[in-house]
Amino acid sequence: MAERPLNVLFLCTHNSARSILAEAVLNHIGQGRFKAFSAGSSPRDNQQPNPLGLRVLQNAGISTEGLRSKSWDEFGKPDSERMDLVITVCDNAAGEVC
């Protein structure tokens, strides 16, 4: 019986570049051992992933399907997937109360 993938959440302030890049790269190189997500502590209204970041991923052959900017509040709901590991990729998010 195969073990379930490790759920990893990458946090940043706006969830527009670094955390989204980390999500996509880990899902790509993790080969099913990880299920990566990303979120921001305070994404702007109508925040979208950085187009340059998406282009870099696409040029590297990494899927950008389903990537979107979102608040970390989505992962605090009772029915949210349980995270095994939470990694901050910016100093601002690291110092905020979750």
Side-chain angles (χ1 to χ4, degrees):
M1 184 165 132
E3 289 186 34
R4 73 166 181 82
L6 208 60
N7 287 336
V8 180
L9 176 61
F10 291 99
L11 295 177
C12 201
T13 304
H14 299 297
N15 190 223
S16 65
R18 289 171 283 189
S19 50
I20 286 181
L21 291 170
E23 172 187 359
V25 169
L26 185 58
N27 280 328
H28 181 76
I29 67 173
Q31 299 177 343
R33 295 172 299 190
F34 299 94
K35 187 172 181 186
F37 303 88
S38 67
S41 58
S42 56
R44 296 179 182 111
D45 289 340
N46 301 312
Q47 181 75 54
Q48 297 296 317
N50 183 297
L52 180 57
L54 294 178
R55 194 171 11 200
V56 167
L57 290 170
Q58 291 165 343
N59 289 343
I62 298 173
S63 174
T64 60
E65 183 179 337
L67 294 178
R68 64 183 180 87
S69 298
K70 59 205 151 302
S71 171
W72 64 13
D73 293 339
E74 289 189 26
F75 297 94
K77 297 176 182 175
D79 60 340
S80 297
E81 291 201 54
R82 183 177 81 59
M83 294 298 131
D84 298 299
L85 185 60
V86 178
I87 300 170
T88 59
V89 293
C90 72
D91 288 343
N92 290 342
E96 295 182 30
V97 177
C98 299

Coordinates of all heavy atoms in Angstrom, one line a residue:
M1 N 0.8 -1.2 0.0 CA 0.0 0.0 0.0 C 0.9 1.2 0.0 O 1.8 1.4 0.8 CB -0.9 0.0 1.2 CG -1.9 1.1 1.3 SD -3.1 0.7 2.5 CE -3.2 2.2 3.4
A2 N 0.7 2.1 -0.9 CA 1.5 3.3 -1.1 C 1.1 4.4 0.0 O -0.1 4.5 0.3 CB 1.3 3.9 -2.5
E3 N 2.1 5.1 0.5 CA 1.8 6.1 1.5 C 1.2 7.3 0.7 O 1.5 7.5 -0.5 CB 3.1 6.6 2.1 CG 3.7 5.6 3.1 CD 4.9 6.2 3.8 OE1 4.9 7.4 4.1 OE2 5.8 5.4 4.1
R4 N 0.4 8.1 1.4 CA -0.2 9.3 0.8 C 0.9 10.3 0.7 O 1.9 10.3 1.4 CB -1.4 9.8 1.6 CG -0.9 10.5 2.9 CD -2.1 11.3 3.5 NE -1.7 11.9 4.7 CZ -1.1 13.1 4.8 NH1 -0.8 13.7 3.7 NH2 -0.8 13.6 6.0
P5 N 0.7 11.2 -0.3 CA 1.7 12.3 -0.5 C 1.7 13.2 0.7 O 0.7 13.4 1.4 CB 1.3 13.0 -1.7 CG 0.0 12.4 -2.1 CD -0.3 11.3 -1.3
L6 N 2.9 13.8 0.9 CA 3.0 14.8 2.0 C 2.4 16.1 1.5 O 2.8 16.6 0.4 CB 4.5 15.0 2.3 CG 5.0 15.4 3.7 CD1 4.5 14.4 4.7 CD2 6.5 15.5 3.7
N7 N 1.5 16.7 2.3 CA 0.9 18.0 1.9 C 1.8 19.1 2.4 O 2.2 19.2 3.6 CB -0.5 18.2 2.5 CG -1.5 17.3 1.9 OD1 -1.4 16.9 0.7 ND2 -2.6 17.0 2.6
V8 N 2.2 20.0 1.5 CA 3.1 21.1 1.8 C 2.5 22.4 1.4 O 2.0 22.5 0.2 CB 4.5 20.9 1.0 CG1 5.4 22.1 1.4 CG2 5.1 19.6 1.4
L9 N 2.4 23.4 2.3 CA 1.9 24.7 2.0 C 3.0 25.7 2.0 O 3.7 25.8 3.0 CB 0.8 25.1 3.0 CG 0.2 26.5 2.9 CD1 -0.5 26.7 1.6 CD2 -0.7 26.7 4.1
F10 N 3.2 26.4 0.9 CA 4.1 27.5 0.8 C 3.4 28.9 1.0 O 2.4 29.1 0.4 CB 4.8 27.5 -0.6 CG 5.7 26.4 -0.8 CD1 5.3 25.3 -1.5 CD2 7.0 26.4 -0.3 CE1 6.1 24.2 -1.7 CE2 7.9 25.3 -0.5 CZ 7.4 24.2 -1.2
L11 N 3.9 29.7 2.0 CA 3.3 30.9 2.3 C 4.1 32.1 1.9 O 5.4 32.1 2.1 CB 3.0 31.0 3.8 CG 2.0 30.1 4.4 CD1 2.0 30.3 5.9 CD2 0.7 30.2 3.8
C12 N 3.5 33.2 1.4 CA 4.1 34.4 1.1 C 3.1 35.5 1.4 O 2.0 35.2 1.8 CB 4.6 34.5 -0.3 SG 5.9 35.7 -0.7
T13 N 3.4 36.7 1.2 CA 2.5 37.8 1.6 C 1.3 37.9 0.5 O 0.2 37.8 0.9 CB 3.2 39.2 1.6 OG1 4.3 39.1 2.6 CG2 2.2 40.3 2.1
H14 N 1.7 38.0 -0.7 CA 0.6 38.3 -1.7 C 0.3 37.0 -2.6 O -0.7 37.0 -3.3 CB 1.0 39.4 -2.7 CG 1.2 40.7 -2.0 ND1 0.2 41.3 -1.3 CD2 2.3 41.5 -1.8 CE1 0.6 42.4 -0.8 NE2 1.9 42.5 -1.1
N15 N 1.1 36.0 -2.5 CA 0.8 34.7 -3.2 C 0.7 35.1 -4.7 O -0.2 34.7 -5.4 CB -0.4 34.0 -2.7 CG -0.6 32.6 -3.3 OD1 -1.7 32.2 -3.7 ND2 0.5 31.8 -3.4
S16 N 1.7 35.7 -5.2 CA 1.7 36.0 -6.7 C 3.0 35.5 -7.4 O 2.9 35.3 -8.6 CB 1.7 37.5 -6.9 OG 2.8 38.2 -6.4
A17 N 4.0 35.2 -6.7 CA 5.2 34.7 -7.4 C 6.0 33.6 -6.6 O 5.8 32.4 -7.0 CB 6.2 35.9 -7.6
R18 N 6.7 33.9 -5.6 CA 7.6 32.9 -4.9 C 6.8 31.7 -4.4 O 7.3 30.6 -4.7 CB 8.3 33.6 -3.7 CG 9.4 34.5 -4.1 CD 9.9 35.3 -3.0 NE 8.9 36.3 -2.6 CZ 9.1 37.3 -1.7 NH1 10.3 37.3 -1.0 NH2 8.2 38.1 -1.4
S19 N 5.7 31.9 -3.7 CA 5.0 30.7 -3.2 C 4.4 29.9 -4.3 O 4.3 28.7 -4.3 CB 4.0 31.2 -2.2 OG 3.2 32.2 -2.7
I20 N 3.9 30.6 -5.4 CA 3.3 29.9 -6.5 C 4.4 29.1 -7.3 O 4.2 28.0 -7.7 CB 2.6 30.9 -7.4 CG1 1.3 31.3 -6.7 CG2 2.3 30.3 -8.8 CD1 0.4 32.2 -7.5
L21 N 5.6 29.7 -7.4 CA 6.7 29.0 -8.1 C 7.1 27.8 -7.3 O 7.3 26.7 -7.8 CB 7.9 29.9 -8.2 CG 7.8 31.1 -9.2 CD1 9.0 32.1 -9.0 CD2 7.7 30.6 -10.6
A22 N 7.1 27.9 -5.9 CA 7.5 26.8 -5.1 C 6.4 25.7 -5.2 O 6.8 24.5 -5.3 CB 7.6 27.2 -3.6
E23 N 5.2 26.0 -5.2 CA 4.1 25.1 -5.4 C 4.3 24.3 -6.7 O 4.2 23.0 -6.7 CB 2.7 25.8 -5.4 CG 1.6 24.9 -5.7 CD 0.3 25.7 -5.8 OE1 0.2 26.9 -5.7 OE2 -0.8 25.0 -6.1
A24 N 4.4 25.0 -7.7 CA 4.5 24.3 -9.1 C 5.8 23.5 -9.2 O 5.7 22.3 -9.7 CB 4.5 25.4 -10.2
V25 N 6.9 24.0 -8.7 CA 8.1 23.2 -8.8 C 8.1 21.9 -8.0 O 8.5 20.8 -8.4 CB 9.4 24.1 -8.4 CG1 10.6 23.2 -8.3 CG2 9.6 25.2 -9.5
L26 N 7.6 22.0 -6.7 CA 7.5 20.8 -5.9 C 6.6 19.8 -6.4 O 6.9 18.6 -6.4 CB 7.2 21.2 -4.4 CG 7.2 20.0 -3.5 CD1 8.6 19.3 -3.4 CD2 6.8 20.4 -2.1
N27 N 5.4 20.3 -6.9 CA 4.5 19.3 -7.6 C 5.1 18.6 -8.8 O 4.9 17.4 -9.0 CB 3.2 20.0 -8.0 CG 2.3 20.2 -6.8 OD1 2.2 19.4 -5.9 ND2 1.5 21.3 -6.8
H28 N 6.0 19.4 -9.5 CA 6.6 18.8 -10.7 C 7.7 17.8 -10.3 O 7.8 16.7 -10.8 CB 7.2 20.0 -11.5 CG 7.9 19.5 -12.8 ND1 7.2 19.1 -13.9 CD2 9.2 19.4 -13.1 CE1 8.1 18.8 -14.8 NE2 9.3 19.0 -14.4
I29 N 8.6 18.2 -9.4 CA 9.8 17.4 -9.1 C 9.5 16.3 -8.1 O 10.2 15.3 -7.9 CB 11.0 18.2 -8.7 CG1 10.8 18.9 -7.4 CG2 11.4 19.1 -9.8 CD1 12.0 19.6 -6.8
G30 N 8.4 16.5 -7.3 CA 8.0 15.6 -6.3 C 7.5 14.2 -6.7 O 7.4 13.3 -6.0
Q31 N 7.1 14.2 -8.0 CA 6.7 12.9 -8.6 C 5.7 12.1 -7.8 O 5.8 11.0 -7.6 CB 7.9 12.0 -8.9 CG 8.9 12.7 -9.9 CD 10.1 11.8 -10.1 OE1 10.4 10.9 -9.3 NE2 10.9 12.2 -11.1
G32 N 4.7 12.9 -7.3 CA 3.6 12.3 -6.5 C 3.9 12.0 -5.1 O 3.0 11.6 -4.3
R33 N 5.1 12.3 -4.6 CA 5.4 12.1 -3.2 C 5.0 13.3 -2.4 O 4.9 13.2 -1.1 CB 6.9 11.9 -3.0 CG 7.5 10.7 -3.6 CD 8.9 10.6 -3.6 NE 9.4 11.8 -4.3 CZ 10.6 12.0 -4.7 NH1 11.6 11.2 -4.3 NH2 11.0 13.1 -5.4
F34 N 4.7 14.5 -3.0 CA 4.3 15.7 -2.4 C 3.1 16.2 -3.1 O 2.9 16.0 -4.3 CB 5.4 16.8 -2.4 CG 6.6 16.4 -1.7 CD1 7.7 15.8 -2.4 CD2 6.8 16.6 -0.4 CE1 8.8 15.5 -1.8 CE2 7.9 16.2 0.3 CZ 9.0 15.7 -0.5
K35 N 2.2 16.9 -2.3 CA 1.1 17.6 -2.9 C 1.2 19.0 -2.4 O 1.0 19.3 -1.2 CB -0.3 17.0 -2.5 CG -1.4 17.7 -3.2 CD -2.7 16.9 -2.9 CE -3.9 17.5 -3.6 NZ -5.1 16.9 -3.2
A36 N 1.8 19.9 -3.3 CA 2.1 21.3 -2.8 C 0.9 22.2 -3.1 O 0.2 22.1 -4.1 CB 3.4 21.8 -3.5
F37 N 0.8 23.2 -2.2 CA -0.1 24.3 -2.3 C 0.6 25.6 -2.0 O 1.7 25.6 -1.5 CB -1.2 24.1 -1.2 CG -1.9 22.8 -1.3 CD1 -1.4 21.7 -0.6 CD2 -3.1 22.6 -2.0 CE1 -2.1 20.5 -0.7 CE2 -3.8 21.4 -2.1 CZ -3.3 20.3 -1.4
S38 N -0.1 26.7 -2.3 CA 0.5 28.0 -1.9 C -0.6 28.9 -1.5 O -1.8 28.8 -1.9 CB 1.3 28.6 -3.1 OG 0.5 29.0 -4.1
A39 N -0.3 29.9 -0.7 CA -1.2 30.9 -0.2 C -0.5 32.2 0.2 O 0.7 32.1 0.5 CB -2.1 30.3 0.9
G40 N -1.3 33.2 0.4 CA -0.7 34.5 0.9 C -1.4 34.9 2.2 O -2.6 34.7 2.4
S41 N -0.7 35.7 3.0 CA -1.3 36.2 4.2 C -2.2 37.4 3.9 O -3.2 37.6 4.6 CB -0.2 36.7 5.2 OG 0.7 37.6 4.6
S42 N -1.9 38.1 2.8 CA -2.8 39.2 2.4 C -2.7 39.5 0.9 O -2.2 40.5 0.5 CB -2.4 40.5 3.2 OG -1.0 40.8 3.0
P43 N -3.2 38.5 0.2 CA -3.2 38.8 -1.3 C -4.1 40.0 -1.6 O -5.1 40.3 -0.9 CB -3.8 37.5 -1.9 CG -4.5 36.8 -0.8 CD -3.9 37.3 0.5
R44 N -3.7 40.7 -2.6 CA -4.5 41.9 -3.0 C -5.8 41.5 -3.6 O -5.9 40.4 -4.1 CB -3.7 42.8 -4.0 CG -2.4 43.3 -3.4 CD -1.6 44.1 -4.4 NE -0.4 44.6 -3.8 CZ 0.8 44.2 -4.2 NH1 0.9 43.3 -5.1 NH2 1.9 44.7 -3.6
D45 N -6.8 42.4 -3.6 CA -8.0 42.1 -4.3 C -7.7 41.8 -5.8 O -6.9 42.4 -6.4 CB -9.0 43.3 -4.3 CG -9.5 43.5 -2.9 OD1 -9.5 42.6 -2.1 OD2 -10.0 44.7 -2.6
N46 N -8.3 40.7 -6.3 CA -8.1 40.2 -7.7 C -6.7 39.9 -8.0 O -6.3 40.0 -9.2 CB -8.7 41.3 -8.7 CG -10.2 41.5 -8.4 OD1 -10.9 40.6 -8.3 ND2 -10.6 42.8 -8.4
Q47 N -5.9 39.5 -7.0 CA -4.5 39.2 -7.2 C -4.4 38.0 -8.2 O -5.2 37.1 -8.1 CB -3.9 38.7 -5.9 CG -2.4 38.3 -6.0 CD -1.5 39.6 -6.1 OE1 -1.6 40.5 -5.3 NE2 -0.7 39.6 -7.1
Q48 N -3.5 38.1 -9.1 CA -3.2 37.0 -10.1 C -1.8 36.6 -10.0 O -0.9 37.4 -9.6 CB -3.5 37.6 -11.5 CG -5.0 38.0 -11.7 CD -5.9 36.8 -11.6 OE1 -5.6 35.7 -12.1 NE2 -7.0 37.0 -11.0
P49 N -1.5 35.4 -10.4 CA -0.1 35.0 -10.4 C 0.7 35.9 -11.3 O 0.2 36.4 -12.3 CB -0.1 33.6 -10.9 CG -1.5 33.1 -10.6 CD -2.4 34.3 -10.7
N50 N 2.0 36.1 -11.0 CA 2.9 37.0 -11.8 C 3.0 36.4 -13.1 O 3.5 35.2 -13.3 CB 4.2 37.1 -11.0 CG 5.1 38.0 -11.8 OD1 5.5 37.8 -12.9 ND2 5.5 39.1 -11.1
P51 N 2.7 37.1 -14.2 CA 2.8 36.5 -15.6 C 4.2 36.1 -15.9 O 4.4 35.1 -16.6 CB 2.4 37.7 -16.5 CG 1.7 38.6 -15.6 CD 2.2 38.4 -14.2
L52 N 5.2 36.8 -15.5 CA 6.6 36.4 -15.7 C 7.0 35.1 -15.1 O 7.6 34.2 -15.6 CB 7.6 37.5 -15.3 CG 9.1 37.2 -15.5 CD1 9.4 37.0 -17.0 CD2 9.9 38.4 -15.0
G53 N 6.5 34.9 -13.8 CA 6.7 33.7 -13.1 C 6.0 32.5 -13.8 O 6.6 31.4 -14.0
L54 N 4.8 32.7 -14.3 CA 4.1 31.7 -15.1 C 4.9 31.3 -16.3 O 5.0 30.1 -16.7 CB 2.7 32.1 -15.4 CG 1.8 32.3 -14.2 CD1 0.4 32.7 -14.6 CD2 1.6 31.0 -13.4
R55 N 5.4 32.3 -17.0 CA 6.2 32.1 -18.2 C 7.4 31.3 -18.0 O 7.8 30.4 -18.7 CB 6.5 33.4 -18.9 CG 6.9 33.3 -20.3 CD 7.0 34.6 -21.0 NE 6.9 35.7 -20.0 CZ 6.6 36.9 -20.2 NH1 6.4 37.3 -21.4 NH2 6.5 37.8 -19.3
V56 N 8.1 31.6 -16.9 CA 9.3 30.9 -16.5 C 9.0 29.4 -16.3 O 9.7 28.5 -16.7 CB 10.0 31.5 -15.3 CG1 11.1 30.6 -14.7 CG2 10.6 32.9 -15.6
L57 N 7.9 29.2 -15.6 CA 7.5 27.8 -15.3 C 7.2 27.1 -16.6 O 7.6 25.9 -16.8 CB 6.3 27.7 -14.4 CG 6.5 28.1 -12.9 CD1 5.1 28.3 -12.2 CD2 7.4 27.1 -12.2
Q58 N 6.4 27.7 -17.5 CA 6.1 27.1 -18.8 C 7.3 26.8 -19.6 O 7.4 25.7 -20.2 CB 5.1 28.0 -19.5 CG 3.7 28.1 -18.9 CD 2.9 29.2 -19.4 OE1 3.4 30.2 -20.0 NE2 1.6 29.2 -19.1
N59 N 8.2 27.7 -19.6 CA 9.5 27.5 -20.4 C 10.3 26.4 -19.8 O 11.1 25.8 -20.6 CB 10.3 28.8 -20.4 CG 9.7 29.9 -21.3 OD1 8.8 29.6 -22.1 ND2 10.1 31.1 -21.1
A60 N 10.2 26.1 -18.6 CA 10.9 25.0 -17.9 C 10.1 23.7 -18.1 O 10.6 22.6 -17.6 CB 11.1 25.3 -16.4
G61 N 8.9 23.7 -18.7 CA 8.1 22.5 -18.9 C 7.4 22.1 -17.7 O 7.0 21.0 -17.5
I62 N 7.1 23.1 -16.8 CA 6.3 22.8 -15.6 C 4.9 23.4 -15.8 O 4.7 24.5 -16.2 CB 7.0 23.5 -14.4 CG1 8.4 22.9 -14.2 CG2 6.2 23.4 -13.1 CD1 9.2 23.6 -13.1
S63 N 3.9 22.5 -15.4 CA 2.5 22.9 -15.6 C 2.2 24.1 -14.7 O 2.5 24.2 -13.6 CB 1.7 21.7 -15.3 OG 0.3 22.1 -15.3
T64 N 1.4 25.0 -15.3 CA 0.8 26.1 -14.6 C -0.7 26.0 -14.4 O -1.4 26.9 -13.9 CB 1.1 27.5 -15.3 OG1 0.5 27.4 -16.6 CG2 2.6 27.7 -15.4
E65 N -1.2 24.8 -14.8 CA -2.7 24.6 -14.7 C -3.1 24.6 -13.3 O -2.5 24.0 -12.4 CB -3.0 23.2 -15.3 CG -4.5 22.9 -15.3 CD -4.8 21.6 -16.0 OE1 -4.0 21.1 -16.7 OE2 -5.9 21.0 -15.7
G66 N -4.2 25.4 -13.0 CA -4.8 25.5 -11.7 C -4.1 26.4 -10.7 O -4.5 26.6 -9.6
L67 N -3.0 27.0 -11.1 CA -2.3 28.0 -10.2 C -3.1 29.2 -10.1 O -3.5 29.8 -11.1 CB -0.9 28.3 -10.7 CG 0.1 27.1 -10.7 CD1 1.4 27.6 -11.3 CD2 0.3 26.6 -9.3
R68 N -3.3 29.7 -8.9 CA -4.0 30.9 -8.7 C -3.6 31.5 -7.3 O -3.1 30.8 -6.4 CB -5.5 30.7 -8.7 CG -6.0 29.8 -7.6 CD -7.5 29.6 -7.7 NE -8.0 28.7 -6.6 CZ -8.3 29.1 -5.4 NH1 -8.3 30.4 -5.1 NH2 -8.7 28.3 -4.4
S69 N -3.7 32.8 -7.2 CA -3.4 33.5 -5.9 C -4.6 33.3 -5.0 O -5.8 33.4 -5.4 CB -3.2 35.0 -6.2 OG -2.1 35.2 -7.0
K70 N -4.3 33.0 -3.7 CA -5.4 32.8 -2.7 C -4.9 33.1 -1.3 O -3.7 33.2 -1.1 CB -5.9 31.4 -2.8 CG -4.8 30.3 -2.6 CD -5.2 29.0 -3.2 CE -4.1 28.2 -3.6 NZ -3.1 28.7 -4.6
S71 N -5.8 33.3 -0.5 CA -5.5 33.6 0.9 C -5.2 32.4 1.7 O -5.8 31.3 1.4 CB -6.7 34.4 1.6 OG -6.5 34.5 3.0
W72 N -4.4 32.5 2.7 CA -4.2 31.3 3.6 C -5.4 31.0 4.4 O -5.5 29.9 5.0 CB -3.0 31.5 4.5 CG -3.0 32.7 5.5 CD1 -4.1 33.4 5.9 CD2 -1.9 33.2 6.2 NE1 -3.8 34.3 6.8 CE2 -2.4 34.2 7.1 CE3 -0.6 32.9 6.3 CZ2 -1.6 35.0 7.9 CZ3 0.2 33.6 7.2 CH2 -0.3 34.6 8.0
D73 N -6.4 31.8 4.4 CA -7.7 31.5 5.1 C -8.3 30.3 4.5 O -9.0 29.6 5.2 CB -8.7 32.7 5.0 CG -8.2 33.9 5.8 OD1 -7.3 33.7 6.7 OD2 -8.6 35.0 5.5
E74 N -8.1 30.0 3.2 CA -8.7 28.8 2.6 C -8.2 27.5 3.3 O -8.9 26.5 3.2 CB -8.3 28.7 1.1 CG -9.0 29.8 0.3 CD -8.8 29.5 -1.2 OE1 -8.6 28.4 -1.6 OE2 -9.0 30.5 -2.0
F75 N -7.0 27.6 3.9 CA -6.4 26.4 4.5 C -6.7 26.3 6.0 O -6.3 25.3 6.6 CB -4.9 26.4 4.2 CG -4.6 26.3 2.7 CD1 -4.4 27.4 2.0 CD2 -4.6 25.0 2.1 CE1 -4.2 27.3 0.6 CE2 -4.4 25.0 0.7 CZ -4.2 26.1 0.0
G76 N -7.4 27.2 6.5 CA -7.8 27.2 7.9 C -9.2 26.7 8.2 O -9.6 26.7 9.4
K77 N -9.9 26.4 7.2 CA -11.3 25.9 7.3 C -11.3 24.5 7.8 O -10.4 23.7 7.5 CB -12.0 26.0 6.0 CG -12.1 27.5 5.5 CD -12.8 27.5 4.1 CE -12.8 28.9 3.6 NZ -13.3 29.0 2.3
P78 N -12.3 24.1 8.5 CA -12.4 22.7 9.1 C -12.3 21.6 8.0 O -11.8 20.6 8.3 CB -13.7 22.7 9.8 CG -14.1 24.1 10.1 CD -13.4 24.9 9.0
D79 N -12.8 21.9 6.8 CA -12.8 20.9 5.8 C -11.6 20.9 4.9 O -11.5 20.2 3.9 CB -14.1 20.9 5.0 CG -14.3 22.3 4.3 OD1 -13.7 23.3 4.7 OD2 -15.1 22.3 3.3
S80 N -10.6 21.8 5.2 CA -9.4 21.9 4.4 C -8.5 20.7 4.6 O -8.6 20.1 5.6 CB -8.7 23.2 4.7 OG -9.4 24.3 4.5
E81 N -7.7 20.5 3.5 CA -6.7 19.4 3.7 C -5.7 19.7 4.8 O -5.4 20.9 5.0 CB -6.0 19.2 2.4 CG -6.8 18.6 1.3 CD -6.0 18.0 0.2 OE1 -5.2 17.1 0.5 OE2 -6.2 18.4 -1.0
R82 N -5.3 18.7 5.5 CA -4.4 18.9 6.6 C -3.0 19.0 6.0 O -2.6 18.2 5.2 CB -4.4 17.7 7.6 CG -3.5 17.9 8.8 CD -3.6 16.8 9.8 NE -2.9 15.5 9.5 CZ -1.6 15.4 9.3 NH1 -0.8 16.4 9.3 NH2 -1.1 14.2 9.1
M83 N -2.2 20.0 6.4 CA -0.9 20.2 5.9 C 0.1 19.5 6.8 O 0.0 19.5 8.1 CB -0.5 21.7 5.9 CG -1.3 22.5 4.9 SD -1.1 21.9 3.2 CE -2.8 21.8 2.7
D84 N 1.1 18.8 6.2 CA 2.1 18.2 6.9 C 3.3 19.1 7.2 O 4.1 18.9 8.2 CB 2.6 17.0 6.2 CG 1.5 15.9 6.0 OD1 1.0 15.4 7.0 OD2 1.2 15.7 4.8
L85 N 3.5 20.1 6.3 CA 4.6 21.0 6.4 C 4.2 22.3 5.8 O 3.5 22.4 4.8 CB 5.8 20.4 5.5 CG 7.1 21.1 5.5 CD1 7.7 21.2 6.9 CD2 8.1 20.4 4.6
V86 N 4.5 23.4 6.6 CA 4.2 24.8 6.1 C 5.5 25.5 6.1 O 6.3 25.6 7.0 CB 3.2 25.5 7.1 CG1 3.0 26.9 6.6 CG2 1.9 24.7 7.2
I87 N 5.8 26.1 4.9 CA 7.1 26.8 4.7 C 6.8 28.2 4.2 O 6.0 28.4 3.3 CB 7.9 26.1 3.6 CG1 8.2 24.6 4.0 CG2 9.2 26.8 3.2 CD1 8.8 23.8 2.9
T88 N 7.4 29.2 4.9 CA 7.3 30.6 4.5 C 8.4 30.9 3.5 O 9.6 30.5 3.8 CB 7.3 31.6 5.6 OG1 8.5 31.4 6.4 CG2 6.1 31.3 6.5
V89 N 8.1 31.6 2.5 CA 9.2 32.0 1.5 C 9.4 33.5 1.5 O 10.0 34.0 0.5 CB 8.8 31.5 0.1 CG1 8.9 29.9 0.1 CG2 7.5 32.0 -0.4
C90 N 9.0 34.2 2.5 CA 9.3 35.6 2.7 C 9.3 36.0 4.1 O 8.5 35.4 4.9 CB 8.4 36.5 1.8 SG 6.7 36.7 2.4
D91 N 10.1 37.0 4.5 CA 10.2 37.4 5.9 C 8.9 37.9 6.5 O 8.6 37.7 7.6 CB 11.3 38.4 6.1 CG 12.7 37.8 5.9 OD1 12.8 36.6 6.0 OD2 13.6 38.6 5.7
N92 N 8.1 38.6 5.6 CA 6.9 39.2 6.1 C 5.9 38.2 6.6 O 5.4 38.2 7.7 CB 6.2 40.1 5.0 CG 7.0 41.4 4.8 OD1 7.8 41.8 5.6 ND2 6.7 41.9 3.6
A93 N 5.7 37.2 5.8 CA 4.7 36.1 6.2 C 5.2 35.3 7.3 O 4.5 34.8 8.2 CB 4.5 35.2 5.0
A94 N 6.6 35.1 7.5 CA 7.1 34.4 8.6 C 6.8 35.0 9.9 O 6.7 34.4 10.9 CB 8.6 34.2 8.4
G95 N 6.7 36.4 9.9 CA 6.5 37.1 11.2 C 5.1 37.3 11.5 O 4.8 37.9 12.6
E96 N 4.1 36.9 10.7 CA 2.7 37.2 10.9 C 2.0 36.1 11.7 O 2.5 34.9 11.7 CB 2.0 37.4 9.6 CG 2.5 38.6 8.8 CD 1.8 38.8 7.5 OE1 0.6 38.4 7.4 OE2 2.4 39.4 6.6
V97 N 1.0 36.4 12.4 CA 0.2 35.5 13.2 C -0.7 34.7 12.2 O -1.4 35.3 11.5 CB -0.6 36.2 14.3 CG1 -1.4 35.2 15.0 CG2 0.3 36.9 15.2
C98 N -0.6 33.4 12.3 CA -1.4 32.5 11.4 C -2.7 32.2 12.1 O -2.8 32.0 13.2 CB -0.7 31.2 11.1 SG 0.9 31.5 10.2

